[in-house]
Amino acid sequence: MARRGPRQIDVVIEVLSEDGLGEAWFEDRRVLARNALPGESVTVRVLKRRRGVWYGEAETPPRRGIERQTPPCPYFPRCGGCAMQHIAYPAQVRHKADVLLHLLRQQSVAPQLVRQPVCGPQFHYRYKARLGVRLVGDEPLVGFREGFSNRVARMSDCKTLALPFARCLPALRRVLAELERPDRVPQVELAGGDRTFAIVVRHLDPLGDADRARLRSFAASSGVRLFLQSGGYETVAELAPAADRRGLSYVNPDFGLCFEFLPTDFTQVNPFMNRRLVRAAVLALAPHRGAMVNDLFCGIGNFSLALARAGLGVRGFESSPGAVARAGRNAALNGLSAQAEFALADLYDSRCPELPDARYLLLDPPRSGAGPNLERWVASRALERIVYVSCNPRTFASDAARLQSQGFTLQEVGVFDMFPHTAHVETLGCFVRRSGVSQHG
């Protein structure tokens, strides 16, 4: 009996979801489709069913929505790295801003001022990525996962990866094909600095001398630094260490700062937008020289050192020992050790120690939001102003409601399009304590 292919259904798209997917209904079932826009009549190949929702990929309809554009990447929509390449860029940004404001309204939070969206380069902005590797026959595929699938997309270029990474994809595929066991390489991670670019190759079996020689040759010809990972992140080591032994680095010229980092450290995906985000965060605090700020989820000091350069005293807290050590070294590198100190703290643990009093608070948490300690962090009478940087509008809106209940007003908010052509967006909100409100509200 022939294997049945994916089911095809005809639907009319009603709205665009938070994730940039066209939403429709078919026989009382919710349908979410890639490559679909509101008002379009589309044929959808159903690729996944989960909790009563059907997920699929829409064929481009003959009658197209007014905001549809021809995707600039030939691998869209099959490649799951982008969700919105079929949407004209101004409409993408409006949608992200609308999603944020809708989520805030759901939480009964009304910002006093909504900033204009901040945008930057649309292409080749992505300096951090994790790509899957999968052997199909004798050919290893290297790329993002396909939409609604664990399969690796077939791609030899990418419009969002930084150019050095996009250009070396064909050579990376060739060298992986030459390894003794290419089927034992499940993924590669990419991390770029201003001048140096690194690739971390995850391998499940030990690599022999011949494999190491092939990878060294690839690194030399492509100009990347190549790292090997045999287990967890603690096993990552450079295959052929550079003579200077320094890590990757990026600069923030607005504040005269240089940051060194390892390819496994968290850094912002988009360095061009990161500079604009850091500048906006510092300005939103309206800092008074010598005042103290607590920087939570501080990472390697991305915001901390800019705040210190602006004249604040900074205490940074982070759960990763490596990031705390790197933040301290970056402070020393930039002559700011006296202004910025860093400490290890599990900020999601309800037993997390109390924070020292500070006039300002900066939050840059993971997608899961600020966590259980938010109310404790903002209880101090000394705290006047909070800047919250978020990569998840939904948890930002929920935390904004919590801050509102603690006596803080959302003075201004806006989106920074850190991830063009995807549904992800960065949000910056500034909260101020309402006059006459005590720490008990």
Side-chain angles (χ1 to χ4, degrees):
M1 181 181 293
R3 183 180 177 183
R4 294 177 59 189
R7 180 175 182 178
Q8 292 193 341
I9 59 175
D10 294 322
V11 296
V12 177
I13 303 300
E14 297 180 8
V15 296
L16 200 63
S17 75
E18 293 176 24
D19 296 328
L21 306 174
E23 183 174 350
W25 292 86
F26 179 81
E27 296 178 352
D28 295 326
R29 292 183 183 273
R30 187 177 180 223
V31 179
L32 293 173
R34 292 169 58 80
N35 189 37
L37 288 176
E40 293 181 339
S41 298
V42 296
T43 299
V44 176
R45 291 190 313 126
V46 179
L47 302 174
K48 178 180 176 181
R49 297 170 173 85
R50 184 182 180 190
R51 297 177 182 175
V53 180
W54 287 2
Y55 299 85
E57 182 180 304
E59 297 178 1
T60 300
R63 298 185 64 180
R64 305 181 178 191
I66 191 171
E67 292 176 338
R68 179 177 284 275
Q69 69 173 5
T70 300
C73 176
Y75 307 111
F76 181 87
R78 182 61 56 86
C79 172
C82 292
M84 303 173 73
Q85 285 205 12
H86 62 304
I87 306 175
Y89 185 64
Q92 292 183 32
V93 177
R94 284 198 304 273
H95 173 69
K96 294 178 183 184
D98 289 346
V99 166
L100 170 65
L101 295 179
H102 172 70
L103 293 171
L104 287 171
R105 284 194 296 271
Q106 285 187 331
Q107 296 287 345
S108 301
V109 175
Q112 293 181 340
L113 173 67
V114 178
R115 300 167 57 108
Q116 286 295 314
V118 180
C119 305
Q122 295 182 38
F123 302 106
H124 300 301
Y125 62 82
R126 187 162 186 166
Y127 280 57
K128 289 276 286 187
R130 177 180 294 171
L131 304 181
V133 179
R134 183 183 181 190
L135 196 66
V136 178
D138 294 330
E139 178 190 14
L141 303 183
V142 181
F144 293 105
R145 305 289 175 179
E146 294 183 359
F148 312 127
S149 170
N150 286 324
R151 293 180 297 185
V152 175
R154 186 182 297 275
M155 51 188 283
S156 58
D157 192 11
C158 180
K159 297 293 185 184
T160 62
L161 289 180
L163 274 172
F165 291 136
R167 288 170 175 162
C168 78
L169 282 177
L172 179 59
R173 288 173 56 184
R174 287 194 297 270
V175 72
L176 293 181
E178 294 170 355
L179 299 181
E180 293 294 330
R181 292 294 305 273
D183 59 316
R184 301 295 287 167
V185 177
Q187 69 179 39
V188 295
E189 292 196 45
L190 316 177
D194 287 344
R195 294 183 177 87
T196 308
F197 295 80
I199 297 178
V200 182
V201 177
R202 176 76 171 98
H203 56 99
L204 303 179
D205 289 346
L207 297 177
D209 291 342
D211 282 346
R212 289 172 176 268
R214 294 183 182 103
L215 291 170
R216 278 195 294 269
S217 177
F218 160 76
S221 61
S222 61
V224 303
R225 292 173 67 169
L226 199 137
F227 294 73
L228 299 179
Q229 180 185 357
S230 59
Y233 274 165
E234 72 281 358
T235 67
V236 172
E238 190 165 5
L239 176 60
D244 61 14
R245 306 289 294 179
R246 290 184 299 178
L248 308 176
S249 66
Y250 68 90
V251 299
N252 186 330
D254 292 343
F255 296 92
L257 297 170
C258 179
F259 297 83
E260 293 185 354
F261 65 98
L262 296 180
T264 52
D265 287 334
F266 172 81
T267 54
Q268 289 287 3
V269 163
N270 185 330
F272 315 101
M273 290 299 293
N274 180 58
R275 294 170 190 167
R276 303 186 70 173
L277 185 62
V278 170
R279 183 167 63 244
V282 173
L283 291 174
L285 279 178
H288 289 74
R289 181 168 291 274
M292 295 300 300
V293 56
N294 290 326
D295 181 6
L296 307 187
F297 309 96
C298 67
I300 65 170
N302 184 52
F303 290 98
S304 303
L305 299 189
L307 293 166
R309 189 71 89 201
L312 292 170
V314 182
R315 303 184 190 95
F317 299 89
E318 170 60 54
S319 62
S320 164
V324 170
R326 228 94 60 216
R329 284 199 288 271
N330 283 327
L333 176 68
N334 290 279
L336 293 169
S337 295
Q339 291 80 27
E341 59 184 46
F342 300 92
L344 190 66
D346 185 350
L347 298 170
Y348 280 155
D349 191 330
S350 59
R351 297 165 297 177
C352 178
E354 297 293 330
L355 296 179
D357 282 347
R359 189 171 187 173
Y360 305 121
L361 175 67
L362 189 141
L363 293 164
D364 184 16
R367 290 187 59 80
S368 48
N373 298 309
L374 182 59
E375 284 78 8
R376 286 202 297 141
W377 293 336
V378 303
S380 168
R381 291 180 182 272
L383 184 62
E384 298 176 2
R385 187 176 289 259
I386 302 166
V387 165
Y388 191 137
V389 179
S390 169
C391 59
N392 185 344
R394 183 167 287 278
T395 53
F396 173 83
S398 175
D399 286 343
R402 295 167 66 189
L403 290 173
Q404 185 170 263
S405 72
Q406 298 301 304
F408 287 86
T409 296
L410 181 52
Q411 185 181 55
E412 60 178 292
V413 71
V415 297
F416 287 69
D417 196 22
M418 187 80 74
F419 315 93
H421 309 298
T422 78
H424 300 295
V425 70
E426 207 80 4
T427 299
L428 185 144
C430 180
F431 298 81
V432 295
R433 189 183 293 281
R434 293 195 294 275
S435 178
V437 177
S438 72
Q439 73 267 38
H440 301 294

